[in-house]
Amino acid sequence: MSFRTRDPLHGLMLDDVRGAQKMLSGVARVTAIEGSRHLSSLVGAPVHFKCENLQRTGSFKLRGAYVRIAGLRPEERAAGVVAASAGNHAQGVALASQLLGVRATVFMPVGAPLPKVAATREYGADVRLHGHVVDQTLAAAEEYARETGAVFIHPFDHPDVIAGQGTVGLEILEQCPEVRTVLVGVGGGGLAAGVGLAVKSLRPDVKVIGVQAEGAAAYPPSLAAGHPVVIESPVTMADGIKVGRPGDVPFALVQEYVDEVRTVSEDELSSALLLCLERAKLLVEPAGASPVAALLGDPKAFRGPVVAILSGGNVDPLLLQRILRHGMAAGGRYLSLRLRVTDRPGALATLLAVLTVVDANVLDVSHVRTDPRLGLTEAEVELHLETKGPEHCREVGDALRDAGYTVLG
């Protein structure tokens, strides 16, 4: 099956998504929907997670990649496929190609996380590291396609891919028929377009709301302008939705089927990831946590029951470590301070005694004695503390100031 003959500017039909669902039977998992008591209490209505982070390859990307590659003509399959990606799309294309017996070449940036590179290779793709930014990697993949005749598999800007991603929406309606709001992360727009088409075609009363990172929010200005516009140098920890321009094909569908596109901050993203890990016991990457971030940022704005799509769970361990610390700081559970003390024996013990009284756990401490800004009898101490929330952070700061310390930040 292929949808290439359809004019992409006029989008897809529900039957295309249903056809993709049949094609994916036995290939993609029907991922679970799990409830969240904590978010339900904040929203005042049931909140559920659609756990695409537990999909094969760790994200929804397998769905669209498989449908796209399965729709190729025999001569196209014989030429092989090529893709460019820093992670999720790479793994989706690699596994889909392996399952369909198609040769896959995947270009990844030189700095791509090693676990993602290793996983893509293990799925059978020929991985080539090229470029330091995704644009350079993409250019290399497109050049390879021109030189070899391999079919370029776009991560979101193709009807077949969107039809595959839309199967997530069909599953949501089957698993949670009482749903009133669906929240979905948005990068190029393939998942939001497919989910919006599937959900709105069957249940026009359900709101479909897209979520973008503030530093990579190309859809709000594009929707306002009526056509895709470019965001120069998008910046966000959520690399899965770090896209500077909406795709032409998904943009038309998002215009028609997505009710609203909201933005979330980096603090909200890291707090959402931490909540998923601690409360739901689910490892979710920042892009996958973006719908949860929207719920945390404005919990009363959504009519329930709500389904938040956790689109992926592939996060580099080193990045995860930084994000968790950022999330703890955003939630008032991690506090960094610099302060001045008198450089004499016992001064540090006196300082730590103050922290003991207010029950702040010291994770790390360092001294600076040689900075020219310091007096002869002064030292600067940097502290990293585990705290219990914003109120406790204020209590720690007040206790230090009451004890005569100058808190620098």
Side-chain angles (χ1 to χ4, degrees):
M1 178 180 70
S2 175
F3 314 122
R4 290 187 310 278
T5 57
R6 187 182 303 281
D7 179 0
L9 294 180
H10 289 87
L12 296 164
M13 296 173 62
L14 177 62
D15 283 348
D16 298 323
V17 183
R18 284 177 166 153
Q21 187 176 44
K22 291 178 182 177
M23 183 181 292
L24 289 168
S25 177
V27 175
R29 293 174 182 149
V30 177
T31 52
I33 282 192
E34 300 286 347
S36 170
R37 287 189 195 174
H38 179 70
L39 286 174
S40 296
S41 66
L42 292 179
V43 173
V47 174
H48 306 282
F49 296 147
K50 175 60 171 168
C51 299
E52 283 295 290
N53 59 310
L54 302 180
Q55 183 57 262
R56 297 176 72 178
T57 74
S59 88
F60 72 97
K61 289 288 189 177
L62 172 64
R63 296 173 184 264
Y66 188 91
V67 173
R68 172 75 172 104
I69 297 169
L72 297 178
R73 298 186 298 271
E75 61 271 24
E76 291 175 318
R77 290 197 190 194
V81 299
V82 61
S85 168
N88 290 345
H89 181 58
Q91 294 172 69
V93 168
L95 179 56
S97 299
Q98 182 188 75
L99 294 172
L100 292 164
V102 177
R103 184 178 69 258
T105 302
V106 176
F107 285 79
M108 303 182 77
V110 172
L114 293 178
K116 294 183 179 181
V117 174
T120 304
R121 284 189 171 129
E122 287 171 9
Y123 288 128
D126 174 16
V127 175
R128 304 190 181 192
L129 302 179
H130 185 95
H132 294 277
V133 296
V134 173
D135 286 345
Q136 295 171 342
T137 308
L138 179 62
E142 291 174 333
E143 178 64 22
Y144 178 88
R146 286 191 292 270
E147 291 177 353
T148 66
V151 179
F152 180 70
I153 307 299
H154 200 283
F156 52 81
D157 206 11
H158 193 281
D160 292 20
V161 172
I162 294 169
Q165 320 305 28
T167 60
V168 176
L170 294 182
E171 290 178 15
I172 289 172
L173 295 183
E174 292 163 1
Q175 294 171 298
C176 186
E178 67 276 15
V179 64
R180 291 294 179 271
T181 303
V182 175
L183 289 167
V184 54
V186 182
L191 179 61
V195 168
L197 167 62
V199 171
K200 286 290 194 178
S201 296
L202 292 168
R203 290 280 305 281
D205 60 303
V206 175
K207 281 192 172 293
V208 178
I209 297 177
V211 184
Q212 290 205 291
E214 285 179 354
Y219 262 92
S222 296
L223 292 169
H227 58 82
V229 299
V230 177
I231 297 295
E232 298 294 342
S233 303
V235 177
T236 176
M237 70 175 76
D239 58 348
I241 53 174
K242 186 180 175 182
V243 178
R245 181 188 185 279
D248 292 323
V249 183
F251 179 77
L253 293 165
V254 169
Q255 271 188 314
E256 186 171 356
Y257 294 113
V258 174
D259 295 280
E260 178 186 359
V261 176
R262 290 177 166 244
T263 61
V264 292
S265 69
E266 298 297 286
D267 281 353
E268 287 167 338
L269 284 169
S270 55
S271 295
L273 187 151
L274 187 61
L275 182 145
C276 290
L277 191 60
E278 288 191 324
R279 296 298 185 97
K281 314 306 179 208
L282 292 168
L283 178 60
V284 182
E285 62 191 87
S290 57
V292 180
L295 287 168
L296 289 176
D298 193 3
K300 299 302 181 183
F302 307 102
R303 183 179 60 168
V306 176
V307 174
I309 300 174
L310 308 183
S311 58
N314 294 316
V315 56
D316 178 55
L318 294 177
L319 175 62
L320 178 62
Q321 185 180 39
R322 296 197 296 271
I323 292 171
L324 289 178
R325 180 167 289 190
H326 186 86
M328 290 178 70
R333 294 169 51 197
Y334 184 87
L335 182 62
S336 295
L337 293 172
R338 289 183 304 111
L339 42 84
R340 297 277 173 87
V341 299
T342 302
D343 190 11
R344 59 175 175 76
L348 181 58
T350 302
L351 169 61
L352 296 179
V354 175
L355 297 173
T356 299
V357 171
V358 291
D359 201 24
N361 185 32
V362 179
L363 300 176
D364 190 32
V365 59
S366 62
H367 277 86
V368 175
R369 292 187 173 90
T370 57
D371 194 303
R373 295 172 301 174
L374 298 172
L376 290 175
T377 61
E378 287 183 322
E380 188 173 290
V381 176
E382 183 174 355
L383 295 164
H384 299 282
L385 309 173
E386 184 180 8
T387 49
K388 300 173 183 178
E391 184 60 37
H392 191 211
C393 289
R394 288 189 287 271
E395 183 183 348
V396 170
D398 291 343
L400 290 170
R401 282 183 282 268
D402 290 345
Y405 293 102
T406 301
V407 179
L408 303 175

